[in-house]
């Protein structure tokens, strides 16, 4: 009976404010619904995006990346903090809802949370509120004292975001204090009257506040109880309605952004979803020129960015001072959207994006390395957007001067160097190579099981031809019946596509597909990760393709390839993951397994390796484009190899080889550092008789 009195005393403290609380509820919900509806307007005006397939796979990704916070631990401190905050929010969601309803229905108890279950839940939520509060305090200290560099906003991108971040963190902290105070005042009042009451979790924030309130007068406790409720309600709705105006909008959008994230990231987005290649001539404008040319999912990405800076922290273009920072690519678009689709007032379409919020250099500076996408915890996509913006530039004839010549050469000769097609197979005629390795050029008379797809750089570049010859030697060594297409092979078009020249890419691809089919081969091998990626993901109806590193790793396991020990035991090797072998195709272990199989070879890892590998500077047409930068990416990579204690950089891509060798020269490290392709190293170390012994 006494307990009943105490509870009715508590509820009566809230009854006085019931009308006010109800009004705040209605106002908060209506405002939030209105703001979200306004935020959805551009998404309805955006382009189609087919993201409704494979619901179970998508749900699995929600469990992994959203609920499981899969990518957060990649940044240990910030990631751990975020995981605690996220878990706290999930646990507290029902408590916050219950508290809100209690204001208008004082005896409300969430179904399933009465009795022991409710007591247990309250203990957990007491600790959750405490953890979230502490995380807010730590986050504020990090922002103000330690100032992680990745949160900084360079002057060219506007003003610092610190004040906004602190404001939001403080609001969440206030919410936790209000929630805890509400519970503490209730417990203190009940305890003061000697009533049985639900114990608060020991050492939690509500427990500590209750200890402070123990001897507070009952009527004062009533005021605290009422004020804590009001503060909780106002802060809750203020946060709810404020979030869609900035980075905290990701709290609402992240689940959807992850559910609708691209499943097949390696495959570039089509020019227009729902328009087949045969009907592309009916598309009036290619690519993204105005904001409304983005798809609704691309716009959802803009809303979902948490401004954590991880993408830019890992972006090689940003690291070497190119005018590109993926984080700001998103933030600029989000701000544009907020400005042109305001919450108050009517929306108005704006001017072209490039030339206003983006610069041409910014869009051409990306190497499509994928580091940003690999890092983003919210699965924000960048490569498709950048390629779409380039498609728009190409469609308007805005191609950088230095790229015009190679693109014309690709159109007329099928390679960016403008070399004669008939010279494509000249690399097999080298005097010291032809007598030992007879490479067939496939035609009506010469057939083979395996096609070695060489691609332009390995065919025409004097230095890279050595990779071609090493690859051929390896294929011959393991007994592969192989040949090349010679003059019938055109550039794979991989970079052409990523530079936004979709029509030229389609012409190159169709030519190659016809030539591959005519050759009758059953499989394809290439030593070029860009060609590998194109054949595997951009081409259709071609035989299965393998990179030479996969073939070597397989044959090392079968015993067909055995190695002689390395001659210079002082050499320390490090493996540089090419972006289109590693990050885009997850081939990380095969090249390393091969290196580790060479007797006496000492191998070290660079600080940035595997899916955090640092792009060498970009392949393909990037060789013809000189963006503004403070330092070459290759030079930074060579520096990383030296810091790891290596003096030999092994890669598995001809473009990496160009950039890294060039960087070694520029850095004046000749004699101290060398670079070698995996195929060259294997060819050099292979024990000649190993295959015959099988
Ligand atoms: S793909 Fe690479 S270069 Fe392009 S924005 Fe992302 S990290 Fe930067
Ligand atoms: S895009 Fe992703 S990684 Fe980059 S700042 Fe936004 S949330 Fe962070």
């Amino acid at each position: 009976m006494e307990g009943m009195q105490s509870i009715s005393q508590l509820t009566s403290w809230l009854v006085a404010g019931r009308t006010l609380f109800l009004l705040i509820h209605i106002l908060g919900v209506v405002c939030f619904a209105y703001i979200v509806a306004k935020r959805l307007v551009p998404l309805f005006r955006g382009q189609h995006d087919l993201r409704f397939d494979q619901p179970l796979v998508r749900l699995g990704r929600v469990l992994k990346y959203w609920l499981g916070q899969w990518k957060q631990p990649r940044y240990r401190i910030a990631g751990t903090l975020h995981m605690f905050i996220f878990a706290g929010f999930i646990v507290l969601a029902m408590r916050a809802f219950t508290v809100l309803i209690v204001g208008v229905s004082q005896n409300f108890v969430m179904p399933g949370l009465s009795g022991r279950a409710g007591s247990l839940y309250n203990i957990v939520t007491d600790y959750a509120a405490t953890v979230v509060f502490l995380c807010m305090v730590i986050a504020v200290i990090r922002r103000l004292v330690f100032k992680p560099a990745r949160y900084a906003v360079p002057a060219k991108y506007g003003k610092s975001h610190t004040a906004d971040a602190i404001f939001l963190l403080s609001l969440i902290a206030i919410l936790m204090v209000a929630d805890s105070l509400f519970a503490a005042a209730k417990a203190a009042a009940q305890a003061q009257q000697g009533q049985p009451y639900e114990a608060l979790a020991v050492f939690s924030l509500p427990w500590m506040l209750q200890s402070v309130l123990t001897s507070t007068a009952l009527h004062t406790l009533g005021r605290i109880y009422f004020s804590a409720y009001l503060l909780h309600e106002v802060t809750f709705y203020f946060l709810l309605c404020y979030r869609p105006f900035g980075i905290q909008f990701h709290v609402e959008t992240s689940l959807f952004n992850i559910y609708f994230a691209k499943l097949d990231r390696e495959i570039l987005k089509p020019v227009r979803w729902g328009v087949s290649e045969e009907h592309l001539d009916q598309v009036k404008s290619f690519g993204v020129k105005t904001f409304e040319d983005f798809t609704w999912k691309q716009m959802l990405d803009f809303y979902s960015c948490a401004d954590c800076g991880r993408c830019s922290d890992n972006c090689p273009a940003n690291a070497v001072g190119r005018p590109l920072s993926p984080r700001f690519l998103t933030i600029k678009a989000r701000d544009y959207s907020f400005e042109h689709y305001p919450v108050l007032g009517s929306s108005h379409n704006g001017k072209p994006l490039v030339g206003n919020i983006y610069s041409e250099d910014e869009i051409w500076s990306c190497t499509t390395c994928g580091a940003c996408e690999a890092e983003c915890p919210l699965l924000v996509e960048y490569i498709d957007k950048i390629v779409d913006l380039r498609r728009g530039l190409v469609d308007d004839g805005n191609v950088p001067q230095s790229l015009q010549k190679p693109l014309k050469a690709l159109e007329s000769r099928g390679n960016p160097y403008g070399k004669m097609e008939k010279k494509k197979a000249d690399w097999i005629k080298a005097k010291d190579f032809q007598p030992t390795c007879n490479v067939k050029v496939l035609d009506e008379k010469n057939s083979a099981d395996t096609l070695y797809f060489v691609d332009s750089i390995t065919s025409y570049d004097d230095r890279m031809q050595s990779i071609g010859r090493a690859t051929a030697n390896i294929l011959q060594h393991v007994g592969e019946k192989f040949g090349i297409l010679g003059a019938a092979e055109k550039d794979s078009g991989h970079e052409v596509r990523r530079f936004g020249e979709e029509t030229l890419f389609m012409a190159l691809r169709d030519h190659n597909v016809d030539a591959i089919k005519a050759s009758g081969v059953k499989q394809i091998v290439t030593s070029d990760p860009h060609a590998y990626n194109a054949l595997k993901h951009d081409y259709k109806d071609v035989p299965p393709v393998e990179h030479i590193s996969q073939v070597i790793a397989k044959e090392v396991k079968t015993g067909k390839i055995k190695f002689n020990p390395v001659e210079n035991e002082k050499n320390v090797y490090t493996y540089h993951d090419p972006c289109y072998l590693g990050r885009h195709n997850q081939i990380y272990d095969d090249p390393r397994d091969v290196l580790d199989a060479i007797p006496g070879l000492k191998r070290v890892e660079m600080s940035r390796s595997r899916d955090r590998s640092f792009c060498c500077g970009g392949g393909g047409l990037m060789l013809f484009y000189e963006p503004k930068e403070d330092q070459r990416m290759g030079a930074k990579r060579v520096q990383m190899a030296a810091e790891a204690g290596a003096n030999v950089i092994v890669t598995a891509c001809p473009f990496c080889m160009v950039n890294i060798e060039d960087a070694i020269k520029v850095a004046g490290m000749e004699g101290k550092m060398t670079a070698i392709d995996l195929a060259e190293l294997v060819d050099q170390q292979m024990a000649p008789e190993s295959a015959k012994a099988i």
Side-chain angles (χ1 to χ4, degrees):
M1 191 66 199
E2 283 172 345
M4 291 288 291
Q5 268 175 7
S6 172
I7 288 165
S8 69
Q9 169 86 69
L10 284 166
T11 51
S12 72
W13 287 338
L14 286 186
V15 167
R18 199 150 58 179
T19 313
L20 174 67
F21 300 149
L22 188 63
L23 274 176
I24 296 173
H25 283 320
I26 294 170
L27 196 66
V29 171
V30 169
C31 279
F32 178 67
Y34 172 77
I35 294 165
V36 169
K38 291 293 267 187
R39 287 289 181 246
L40 288 176
V41 172
L43 270 67
F44 284 109
R45 295 204 187 156
Q47 302 298 316
H48 293 296
D49 212 329
L50 303 184
R51 306 283 182 133
F52 296 92
D53 58 337
Q54 306 191 54
L56 289 180
V57 177
R58 293 183 181 282
L59 274 176
R61 286 159 68 92
V62 167
L63 291 179
K64 179 175 175 180
Y65 293 107
W66 186 78
L67 197 59
Q69 299 276 292
W70 191 257
K71 293 202 180 186
Q72 289 295 346
R74 293 169 72 94
Y75 277 73
R76 223 171 309 147
I77 299 175
T80 309
L81 274 180
H82 194 276
M83 286 170 87
F84 275 123
I85 296 167
F86 180 81
F89 273 24
I90 296 280
V91 169
L92 285 165
M94 266 196 291
R95 166 143 148 179
F97 190 65
T98 309
V99 170
L100 289 176
I101 296 188
V102 161
V104 287
S105 173
Q106 280 76 26
N107 296 321
F108 175 78
V109 178
M110 184 67 77
L113 289 185
S114 53
R116 286 174 70 88
S119 305
L120 188 66
Y121 178 69
N122 285 340
I123 298 280
V124 174
T125 49
D126 284 349
Y127 285 127
T130 313
V131 168
V132 173
F133 176 77
L134 287 176
C135 287
M136 292 302 129
V137 174
I138 298 169
V140 168
I141 295 172
R142 280 189 83 230
R143 283 272 185 176
L144 289 177
V145 181
F146 297 101
K147 300 182 182 167
R150 71 193 153 89
Y151 297 141
V153 179
K156 62 182 169 185
Y157 295 121
K159 61 181 176 50
S160 162
H161 300 170
T162 306
D164 193 37
I166 302 288
F167 179 59
L168 280 159
L169 294 169
S170 308
L171 281 179
I172 298 170
I174 290 171
L175 193 67
M176 294 303 112
V177 171
D179 176 284
S180 303
L181 197 57
F182 184 66
K186 179 181 171 184
Q190 288 172 323
Q192 211 177 88
Q193 293 195 315
Q195 311 300 332
Y197 67 98
E198 205 159 85
L200 299 174
V202 182
F203 295 125
S204 68
L205 185 59
W207 180 86
M208 285 186 254
L209 290 171
Q210 187 206 346
S211 313
V212 175
L213 297 174
T214 312
S215 45
T216 308
L218 198 61
H219 67 277
T220 310
L221 282 177
R223 283 200 203 106
I224 293 173
Y225 188 64
F226 182 92
S227 308
Y229 181 85
L230 192 59
L231 181 64
H232 180 275
E233 195 186 24
V234 170
T235 312
F236 179 89
Y237 283 116
F238 181 79
L239 256 175
L240 195 67
C241 296
Y242 182 74
R243 280 202 297 247
F245 289 87
I247 58 158
Q248 282 284 327
F249 200 16
H250 79 271
V251 174
E252 275 82 24
T253 61
S254 58
L255 188 147
F256 302 100
N257 205 52
I258 289 175
Y259 180 84
F260 291 117
K262 198 174 175 185
L263 297 179
D264 43 7
R265 287 205 169 212
E266 303 76 24
I267 301 174
L268 220 49
K269 164 190 173 294
V271 172
R272 284 269 184 272
W273 283 106
V275 179
S276 66
E277 281 187 2
E278 295 74 45
H279 295 105
L280 271 186
D281 51 351
Q282 291 166 16
V283 173
K284 286 199 195 103
S285 164
F286 273 37
V288 167
K289 292 174 188 171
T290 65
F291 187 73
E292 293 70 24
D293 289 330
F294 281 123
T295 71
W296 63 265
K297 173 60 178 67
Q298 291 175 328
M299 293 178 184
L300 186 62
D301 271 356
F302 300 141
Y303 288 167
S304 304
C305 172
D307 196 28
C308 68
R310 297 178 187 207
C311 50
S312 295
D313 198 29
N314 285 275
C315 171
N318 186 46
V320 297
R322 289 189 187 185
L324 167 66
S325 170
R327 169 187 175 204
F328 292 101
L329 217 59
T330 290
I331 287 177
K332 284 192 282 186
R334 189 201 61 197
D335 290 349
Y336 179 95
S337 159
F338 288 177
E339 191 189 331
H340 288 80
Y341 290 90
V343 165
L344 298 174
S346 53
S347 51
H348 47 287
N349 296 357
K351 297 170 191 159
L353 297 175
V354 177
N356 286 292
I357 62 166
Y358 299 140
S359 72
E360 286 187 26
D361 279 348
E362 189 173 7
I363 302 307
W364 294 116
S365 283
C366 172
T367 66
T368 69
C369 73
C372 48
E373 296 193 0
E375 211 59 52
C376 179
L378 297 166
L379 308 191
V380 168
E381 294 150 24
Y382 278 104
I383 296 174
D384 279 350
K385 290 190 197 107
I386 288 169
V387 170
D388 263 345
L389 284 157
R390 288 174 176 178
R391 284 172 177 160
L393 286 169
V394 169
D395 196 44
D396 286 345
N398 289 330
V399 177
Q401 186 75 31
S402 59
L403 287 174
Q404 289 175 10
K405 213 169 144 196
L407 284 171
K408 279 211 180 75
L410 277 155
E411 233 173 283
S412 57
R413 292 245 172 259
N415 70 80
Y417 310 100
K419 300 256 175 110
M420 308 277 276
E421 292 92 320
K422 64 180 183 191
K423 289 185 175 290
K424 188 126 196 184
D426 278 4
W427 62 273
I428 63 173
K429 296 178 191 155
K431 278 194 213 119
D432 55 347
F433 172 74
Q434 204 168 28
T436 55
C437 188
N438 188 15
V439 180
K440 272 195 272 184
V441 177
L442 304 178
D443 53 23
E444 300 84 38
K445 291 182 212 134
N446 292 307
S447 62
D449 293 339
T450 302
L451 167 68
Y452 171 28
F453 193 97
V454 192
D455 219 346
S456 303
I457 188 167
T458 314
S459 300
Y460 290 119
D461 185 290
D462 292 346
R463 164 66 185 90
M464 301 312 140
Q465 287 175 354
S466 147
I467 299 175
R469 289 190 279 271
T471 305
N473 276 336
I474 295 166
L475 291 173
Q476 175 172 275
H477 177 91
V478 300
E480 203 74 63
K481 291 191 180 68
F482 76 100
I484 60 170
L485 291 174
E489 180 196 293
K490 290 197 177 195
D491 190 277
S492 67
H494 184 262
E495 301 309 295
V496 173
R497 191 170 199 210
R498 278 142 193 88
F499 263 78
E501 257 288 16
E502 189 72 8
T503 325
L504 176 54
F505 160 74
M506 279 158 38
L508 294 166
R509 179 201 59 194
D510 292 349
H511 170 93
N512 284 332
V513 170
D514 289 346
I516 293 168
K517 282 186 178 166
S519 73
V521 296
K522 298 192 193 84
Q523 65 222 15
I524 308 173
V525 170
T526 180
S527 49
D528 183 335
H530 298 254
Y532 174 78
N533 195 61
L535 289 159
K536 191 161 180 203
H537 302 297
D538 294 341
Y539 285 34
K540 283 191 197 98
D541 303 327
V542 290
V545 57
E546 281 185 310
H547 185 260
I548 189 66
S549 60
Q550 296 175 287
V551 177
I552 302 168
K554 215 164 48 192
E555 300 298 5
V556 167
K557 282 192 194 115
T558 64
K560 275 193 188 172
I561 295 180
K562 286 202 168 63
F563 296 112
N564 294 320
V566 283
E567 275 167 28
N568 187 347
E569 288 186 358
K570 286 195 185 131
N571 276 348
V572 179
Y573 294 74
T574 191
Y575 177 68
H576 161 76
D577 292 276
C579 305
Y580 277 97
L581 201 58
R583 219 156 16 226
H584 287 283
N585 286 293
Q586 290 79 51
I587 301 174
Y588 299 115
D589 293 328
D590 285 340
R592 289 177 168 80
D593 290 348
V594 171
L595 291 176
D596 294 343
I598 301 175
L601 185 142
K602 278 196 231 70
R603 182 171 72 81
V604 290
E605 283 289 357
M606 285 184 266
S607 56
R608 291 193 56 172
S609 62
R610 301 177 78 92
D611 68 348
R612 271 197 169 154
S613 180
F614 189 86
C615 180
C616 67
L621 298 182
M622 269 292 170
L623 293 183
F624 301 92
Y625 181 64
E626 292 271 327
K628 288 177 212 140
E629 57 191 8
D630 303 334
Q631 190 188 8
R632 290 188 188 198
M633 289 183 197
K636 224 174 169 53
R637 195 54 170 157
V638 170
Q639 208 178 312
M640 290 179 200
E643 279 161 14
N647 62 347
V648 184
I649 303 174
V650 183
T651 184
C653 169
F655 293 104
C656 295
M657 185 58 73
V658 174
N659 288 307
I660 290 173
E661 283 196 335
D662 194 41
I664 291 172
K665 281 187 207 133
V666 172
M669 290 177 74
E670 285 163 298
K672 291 187 205 135
M673 183 75 79
T674 53
I676 188 165
D677 190 89
L678 184 77
E680 293 175 312
L681 181 65
V682 168
D683 184 30
Q684 192 182 294
Q685 296 296 132
M686 260 185 329
E689 297 306 311
S690 52
K692 289 181 197 152
I694 292 289

